[in-house]
Amino acid sequence: MIQKKYKKAIAEYLEVDPTQVSLYWRGRVGLYCILKAMDIQSGDEVILPAFTCVVVPSAIKYLGAKPIYTAIDPLTYNIDIEKLEEKITSKTKAILAQNTFGLSSDLDPIITIAKKHGIKVIEDCAHGFGGFYKGKKNGTSATAAFFSSQWNKPFSTGIGGMVVCNDLELAKKIQTIQQSFEKPSFKDETMLAIQIFIRKNILRPSIYWAALKLYRWASQAGLISGSSDAGELEDATMPNNYLKSGASIQAKKGIEAIQLFDKNIEHRKDIATLYNNAFTKLNISPVYQPEYATHTFIKYAFLVKDQPKFLKLAQQNQIPLGDWLNSPIHPIRENLERWDYHEGSFPLAEKIGYHILNLPTDESISIQEANRIIHFLEKNKSELVESWKDL
Ligand SMILES: Cc1ncc(COP(=O)(O)O)c(C=O)c1O
């Protein structure tokens, strides 16, 4: 069975046993499954960075638990460890340690704090497949981790997710719960295969903005399986058919992507080096690279003075920019209370969200295209923010 082969390929890459790996329709479903297997339920609390994707607190809330947001470090965009312990209460059951833009959280101190309080650490590796923390592959240091293989993630299966669990008892529980999930239908498989085909054969950087607009419209209208179903951005009510396991088409694409993955990561690092050099030359702080981790740069984040203005300039010049994490719970910018986030509670994270943009590093970006992007940055230098301290 192709899913078995895919699990084996992931396990070999992460140097774990295939029984530790499970597959899902999306990464968020994998997170839900981990939380469920940890017996997280009504009244429990889960700590997460106030700089994540809204589907993360949603998965917590679907179990009746409460997301407890914590401050981020403006250099890494991951949890500010200094501020972590004060968030722990007798109800805390888990801490989510994110790999924002491909950079692992500093896990050792997080795991030490968690152990002291008898709570689990889950790595949110949605951005982090292929990176390392102190020489260990992302996803293999904490109790469990989930990954995303949605568009724009380290490798893509259209949409998709997987879990690796490093606690063998818990891994068994996760497998049992995953097996109870609905299997993707023939329609799900076919629609996703068509989307993958279109993306591979038609999408080019030159039509990026038009395609992005069409993709967002079609996914909100329920015509395709986009980043989120329409209802997922309205409130934290679990959508129908959410609990779905991985599809065969995802396994097929995933196996192909893992075979070529080292090349993919090398390309991203090469493009990131060009951006690093360019920002340094412009006297803009380049992306921070701490010694404890190997960054995979699935996106190269930077700060601008006026986000809407810069996005418009990029669009006019056909520069493919992203705006990930434009809010503590991306992409929600109003009524964040629906996900228990109280506006004003993390002013720095909120401010960063209003000034952050990202450059692409994937294989559609040739060196020539990266140089065109750099030229655009140089031309618009006055719009860039030198450091988060200037926000
Ligand atoms: C930080 C983070 N965590 C989790 C997810 C969820 O992944 P998926 O879209 O595969 O459910 C995302 C999605 O973009 C994300 O950015």
Side-chain angles (χ1 to χ4, degrees):
M1 206 171 104
I2 193 141
Q3 260 103 348
K4 209 168 157 190
K5 240 173 118 179
Y6 184 30
K7 279 205 253 183
K8 194 161 166 265
I10 296 167
E12 269 170 17
Y13 189 85
L14 295 177
E15 297 166 44
V16 298
D17 191 82
T19 57
Q20 293 172 251
V21 178
S22 48
L23 306 172
Y24 304 83
W25 182 239
R26 296 177 190 274
R28 66 200 76 173
V29 187
L31 167 62
Y32 176 92
C33 192
I34 298 171
L35 297 171
K36 177 107 184 139
M38 286 179 172
D39 215 16
I40 286 171
Q41 48 187 279
S42 190
D44 291 340
E45 294 179 351
V46 177
I47 295 177
L48 73 171
F51 203 59
T52 188
C53 179
V54 68
V55 301
V56 174
S58 283
I60 297 167
K61 284 177 70 65
Y62 295 163
L63 287 155
K66 194 164 189 267
I68 302 293
Y69 299 93
T70 187
I72 58 156
D73 175 336
L75 284 178
T76 62
Y77 305 122
N78 287 323
I79 276 182
D80 180 344
I81 293 161
E82 300 289 312
K83 310 262 173 64
L84 174 60
E85 203 162 6
E86 66 197 49
K87 292 284 166 188
I88 296 176
T89 71
S90 57
K91 295 178 188 159
T92 310
K93 289 287 165 356
I95 299 168
L96 277 167
Q98 201 163 284
N99 294 171
T100 315
F101 301 122
L103 175 68
S104 174
S105 293
D106 189 2
L107 289 167
D108 280 351
I110 297 177
I111 292 172
T112 304
I113 293 171
K115 272 197 181 139
K116 187 171 135 195
H117 295 273
I119 54 191
K120 307 266 190 236
V121 178
I122 302 166
E123 271 189 270
D124 177 346
C125 294
H127 303 179
F129 192 89
F132 290 83
Y133 176 68
K134 294 194 177 167
K136 280 189 82 180
K137 294 249 168 72
N138 285 352
T140 60
S141 295
T143 300
F146 71 99
F147 299 84
S148 172
S149 54
Q150 191 240 355
W151 309 117
N152 289 321
K153 294 301 188 312
F155 69 83
S156 171
T157 62
I159 53 177
M162 51 270 191
V163 161
V164 59
C165 182
N166 304 303
D167 170 330
L168 299 185
E169 274 307 302
L170 188 67
K172 275 191 211 152
K173 258 179 107 176
I174 289 175
Q175 297 285 2
T176 308
I177 297 169
Q178 187 267 4
Q179 278 156 21
S180 73
F181 290 172
E182 180 189 336
K183 296 209 171 23
S185 64
F186 178 72
K187 186 174 162 220
D188 290 331
E189 295 266 8
T190 313
M191 295 283 286
L192 189 55
I194 293 171
Q195 279 180 55
I196 291 169
F197 179 84
I198 292 177
R199 176 116 173 174
K200 178 158 181 255
N201 294 287
I202 299 177
L203 191 64
R204 298 280 169 274
S206 55
I207 58 158
Y208 170 84
W209 288 99
L212 184 65
K213 215 166 150 189
L214 183 67
Y215 174 73
R216 284 185 177 162
W217 172 80
S219 71
Q220 287 304 296
L223 300 175
I224 57 165
S225 293
S227 326
S228 291
D229 293 339
E232 288 185 277
L233 305 183
E234 275 158 30
D235 59 32
T237 310
M238 187 192 280
N240 289 335
N241 312 327
Y242 174 86
L243 299 177
K244 211 179 274 184
S245 55
S248 300
I249 180 73
Q250 292 170 328
K252 182 168 178 282
K253 292 291 149 192
I255 293 165
E256 288 167 15
I258 288 181
Q259 278 164 359
L260 300 170
F261 191 68
D262 288 342
K263 210 170 128 238
N264 166 343
I265 288 289
E266 279 319 303
H267 179 82
R268 290 179 187 280
K269 287 184 187 158
D270 289 347
I271 298 293
T273 304
L274 296 179
Y275 295 149
N276 256 331
N277 294 343
F279 279 116
T280 307
K281 245 168 93 193
L282 291 171
N283 273 329
I284 307 287
S285 302
V287 165
Y288 178 63
Q289 294 185 62
E291 288 204 336
Y292 57 74
T294 308
H295 206 312
T296 54
F297 300 102
I298 69 154
K299 294 286 177 187
Y300 192 101
F302 66 108
L303 301 167
V304 295
K305 289 179 185 157
D306 183 333
Q307 207 180 46
K309 182 178 170 193
F310 204 85
L311 280 169
K312 205 161 158 201
L313 275 173
Q315 194 165 351
Q316 282 160 357
N317 289 275
Q318 299 193 339
I319 300 293
L321 289 189
D323 69 347
W324 275 4
L325 305 182
N326 65 14
S327 139
I329 48 171
H330 178 90
I332 308 298
R333 279 188 152 177
E334 279 171 9
N335 300 327
L336 283 75
E337 287 79 9
R338 288 172 288 174
W339 285 269
D340 300 328
Y341 181 89
H342 303 293
E343 278 158 68
S345 48
F346 295 98
L348 181 58
E350 290 175 25
K351 210 186 264 184
I352 289 174
Y354 274 92
H355 292 272
I356 200 161
L357 290 174
N358 65 67
L359 304 171
T361 60
D362 62 276
E363 284 172 307
S364 75
I365 306 299
S366 61
I367 298 215
Q368 194 187 8
E369 176 66 2
N371 283 329
R372 192 177 73 86
I373 295 172
I374 289 168
H375 182 64
F376 168 79
L377 295 170
E378 287 165 352
K379 228 173 72 190
N380 294 289
K381 177 184 166 15
S382 61
E383 296 296 326
L384 304 175
V385 173
E386 281 177 31
S387 144
W388 66 271
K389 292 180 195 136
D390 300 323
L391 289 177

